[in-house]
Amino acid sequence: MFITNDIRYIGVNDHQVDLFEGQYVVPNGMAYNSYLILDEKIAVMDTVEAHFGEEWLANLERELGGRRPDYLVVQHVEPDHSGNISTFLAKYPEAAVVGNTKTFGFISQFYPSLAAQNRLEVKDGGTLELGRHTLNFVFAPMVHWPEVMVTYDAADKVLFSADGFGKFGALDVEEDWDCEARRYYFGIVGKYGAQVQRLLKAAAALDISIICPLHGPVLKENLAHYIKQYDTWSSYRPETEGVFVAYASIYGGTKAAAELLAERLKAKGCPKVAISDLARDDWAECVEDAFRYDRLVLASMTYNADILPVMRHFIWALAERGYQNRRIAFIENGSWAPQAKKVMEGMLAGCKNLTFAESSVTLRSAMNDETREAVERLAEELCR
Ligand code: FEO
């Protein structure tokens, strides 16, 4: 498949994967992208996940048209992209593997028996001449691993962006980019906002017409939209005005209060209200929504003088991803010693620039007139 006259898509779609990275549900599968640059010298940009070696090599061979590659550029060693370095080298042993010091360190950790005869180590800002195309390597540590580098080709104005601008979902399924790109971003790269900001600054100096990520579609139009989304997400600014209500309930009392609050927020004209059951809804979707909206309500039962494990995991997932710049409110429940609010607040103590609503709701098992009024007050405050 042509990206430009010289650049071809040779990636694969994975519809067998149950959990991407062992933790993210991917109902529409996953794409492992790989590209071929045909010039006087030929470069392959990354491989694909181990199970897809045969299909990938067939794609590569078809586009090579009888020629042989000179280079395999390894932008990221995570096995979803490096899983076929050895299959590649078995077929093209003369090709040089291009990476940085950390790339080769990780390759030897993941594939101790892999013998790359030719290694070409590049530096940040280094280049590789192919002919009409010159590859410019820009190191992008922690987007998403320390060895990551992205590659810019000025000839066709293409940025090979590694995991950046990627999304969940195979390429043979049509779906909204923002939703699955946002879930992917906050799930996988969310912790590394500062590093993504650095990469965006470097990218701003480049004339880019096409972004070729390692997951998700090749982006050719409306690049300003994708860059704006990445800028918003990586600077931890809320994207949408609205409230996300996340609840963890046992016998339904907490759930009822969370649902009443959502209903009252909508009735009062709050622009957007989302609600999720942390025990049943996809946790990565919940993390995505917490980062998307500017207000978050956490509603949990007290459990063994703590909170329910799903709420603990959720708050941990937010805090370790640098959750900040949001307004927070609490609903707690406890039949004899409610302390969920204290625990939840404590877990967020290290997060920057959170403001906490003055109102909160404390249930003792189920809602009554008093707690219904408290929900109403909280809705009022969150809508102001
Ligand atoms: Fe798609 Fe970080 O690997």
Side-chain angles (χ1 to χ4, degrees):
M1 186 172 76
F2 279 62
I3 309 289
T4 68
N5 201 38
D6 299 339
I7 301 177
R8 310 289 166 82
Y9 181 82
I10 54 169
V12 298
N13 289 317
D14 182 356
H15 284 289
Q16 295 156 27
V17 57
D18 60 342
L19 290 175
F20 181 68
E21 285 194 355
Q23 52 178 332
Y24 299 101
V25 294
V26 280
N28 288 334
M30 201 66 200
Y32 311 120
N33 298 340
S34 167
Y35 305 92
L36 176 68
I37 308 173
L38 293 163
D39 204 334
E40 288 162 32
K41 299 277 187 189
I42 294 180
V44 175
M45 305 300 291
D46 298 289
T47 79
V48 299
E49 207 266 347
H51 295 97
F52 296 86
E54 216 173 296
E55 185 184 342
W56 174 68
L57 282 177
N59 292 347
L60 171 60
E61 204 171 340
R62 186 188 63 236
E63 298 295 339
L64 280 168
R67 297 178 67 190
R68 293 179 74 81
D70 299 278
Y71 303 108
L72 171 64
V73 178
V74 179
Q75 300 185 107
H76 185 15
V77 189
E78 191 164 6
D80 49 335
H81 310 295
S82 67
N84 276 291
I85 297 179
S86 58
T87 4
F88 174 87
L89 289 175
K91 193 160 182 190
Y92 305 108
E94 74 282 13
V97 177
V98 181
N100 55 59
T101 312
K102 289 195 170 83
T103 316
F104 292 114
F106 283 157
I107 287 176
S108 57
Q109 283 173 224
F110 276 97
Y111 313 105
S113 60
L114 189 145
Q117 290 166 10
N118 303 314
R119 292 180 170 199
L120 182 61
E121 194 174 309
V122 295
K123 301 263 179 259
D124 189 16
T127 57
L128 177 64
E129 306 281 344
L130 301 179
R132 189 172 86 82
H133 300 264
T134 300
L135 302 184
N136 292 267
F137 301 107
V138 179
F139 288 12
M142 300 320 293
V143 185
H144 139 239
W145 279 17
E147 87 297 0
V148 170
M149 54 188 197
V150 303
T151 307
Y152 178 64
D153 166 36
D156 286 353
K157 300 181 182 173
V158 174
L159 178 70
F160 297 92
S161 59
D163 275 343
F165 299 96
K167 68 180 269 299
F168 295 124
L171 297 188
D172 52 3
V173 180
E174 287 249 340
E175 63 181 0
D176 178 58
W177 186 88
D178 284 33
C179 186
E180 282 300 73
R182 191 191 295 108
R183 189 169 72 97
Y184 174 90
Y185 176 85
F186 284 111
I188 288 173
V189 200
K191 184 180 171 77
Y192 306 109
Q195 290 84 348
V196 174
Q197 280 284 307
R198 264 203 292 282
L199 176 60
L200 289 177
K201 283 201 175 70
L206 305 171
D207 184 7
I208 300 168
S209 297
I210 302 174
I211 297 176
C212 290
L214 288 176
H215 302 288
V218 171
L219 306 173
K220 289 184 162 187
E221 280 156 24
N222 202 11
L223 295 193
H225 170 74
Y226 305 113
I227 292 168
K228 180 175 101 3
Q229 292 296 70
Y230 253 64
D231 184 40
T232 302
W233 300 340
S234 59
S235 56
Y236 300 96
R237 292 195 306 270
E239 177 186 338
T240 305
E241 264 188 52
V243 184
F244 176 47
V245 182
Y247 68 84
S249 191
I250 299 179
Y251 289 111
T254 312
K255 176 182 177 182
E259 285 177 341
L260 177 63
L261 177 69
E263 189 189 303
R264 297 308 300 146
L265 287 166
K266 283 181 203 159
K268 287 175 188 304
C270 182
K272 203 92 169 88
V273 181
I275 180 164
S276 285
D277 176 349
L278 292 175
R280 290 173 180 80
D281 297 332
D282 170 33
W283 72 271
E285 187 85 34
C286 295
V287 167
E288 170 194 348
D289 279 343
F291 277 97
R292 176 177 181 178
Y293 297 107
D294 60 349
R295 283 153 277 175
L296 169 67
V297 179
L298 298 169
S300 180
M301 270 302 294
T302 303
Y303 192 69
N304 291 339
D306 201 299
I307 48 178
L308 283 175
V310 285
M311 180 59 85
R312 184 159 268 286
H313 173 261
F314 179 60
I315 300 176
W316 166 82
L318 297 183
E320 74 124 25
R321 285 165 174 77
Y323 196 66
Q324 55 188 277
N325 303 330
R326 304 294 192 280
R327 199 157 154 218
I328 313 290
F330 299 102
I331 296 174
E332 65 174 350
N333 197 347
S335 296
W336 57 92
Q339 41 189 317
K341 176 175 180 284
K342 190 171 132 209
V343 174
M344 293 189 283
E345 210 162 1
M347 285 188 73
L348 291 167
C351 297
K352 287 193 288 186
N353 200 23
L354 296 182
T355 54
F356 295 93
E358 280 171 26
S359 322
S360 63
V361 180
T362 297
L363 305 169
R364 286 184 171 268
S365 312
M367 272 195 295
N368 55 27
D369 288 346
E370 204 181 311
T371 45
R372 264 186 281 274
E373 274 171 33
V375 168
E376 190 67 22
R377 279 195 301 279
L378 181 55
E380 280 284 342
E381 187 183 341
L382 287 173
C383 281
R384 274 205 296 274

